[in-house]
Amino acid sequence: MYNSSEGFRPVLNEVFEQNSQVLMISLTSPEGLPIILLSREGSGIEEITDASITNRYAALVGASTSLGDRTLSTLSQETVRLIHVQGESRDIAISIAEKVITLVITDPNGSANLLAEKLTNNLKILM
């Protein structure tokens, strides 16, 4: 596993710079441990280091992944690789890979699912 959250920063910053609708990106290990959480704050990008906040997003990712896996396995023995929720005020996508789980939150219609999948594929190269 890639241990340094700083190694991910350039890739994540690029996503923020190229996509003004991205509000937050969270990376979590498959074990449910937070790796890095970046949020758009005003005109800049900030890393959130408050453990209660990072753990809350890691728990959200873990619960969503577990629920999705149970639901799909009940239906067809498939495995969840992407969860996408389109809300009234936010779009949320969770992309699941072997070594990292990526959560992307965007403004509505911000293509959170496409960004999450692309980002996960780019991060696989770093690991």
Side-chain angles (χ1 to χ4, degrees):
M1 177 70 193
Y2 197 81
N3 293 323
S4 171
S5 64
E6 287 306 310
F8 294 123
R9 237 182 195 295
V11 175
L12 300 179
N13 283 337
E14 184 177 329
V15 172
F16 276 102
E17 289 169 13
Q18 293 178 355
N19 303 283
S20 62
Q21 292 185 312
V22 173
L23 304 174
M24 183 179 291
I25 298 174
S26 172
L27 301 182
T28 305
S29 75
E31 297 79 26
L33 301 173
I35 299 171
I36 188 170
L37 175 63
L38 296 179
S39 177
R40 186 179 304 277
E41 301 295 329
S43 62
I45 309 305
E46 290 185 20
E47 180 173 359
I48 298 174
T49 56
D50 182 328
S52 66
I53 295 172
T54 57
N55 288 336
R56 197 172 317 143
Y57 278 97
L60 169 69
V61 166
S64 299
T65 304
S66 175
L67 177 62
D69 276 333
R70 281 189 310 226
T71 302
L72 271 185
S73 67
T74 303
L75 298 172
S76 62
Q77 303 302 319
E78 297 294 328
T79 303
V80 170
R81 288 290 156 230
L82 179 70
I83 298 167
H84 185 205
V85 178
Q86 292 178 295
E88 191 173 308
S89 63
R90 301 282 185 265
D91 282 2
I92 302 169
I94 301 170
S95 178
I96 299 120
E98 185 179 321
K99 295 184 180 182
V100 68
I101 302 172
T102 306
L103 169 90
V104 176
I105 300 175
T106 66
D107 287 327
N109 301 315
S111 300
N113 58 332
L114 299 175
L115 291 170
E117 278 193 299
K118 182 178 178 182
L119 181 56
T120 298
N121 289 331
N122 289 342
L123 293 174
K124 285 181 190 178
I125 296 167
L126 289 176
M127 297 180 187

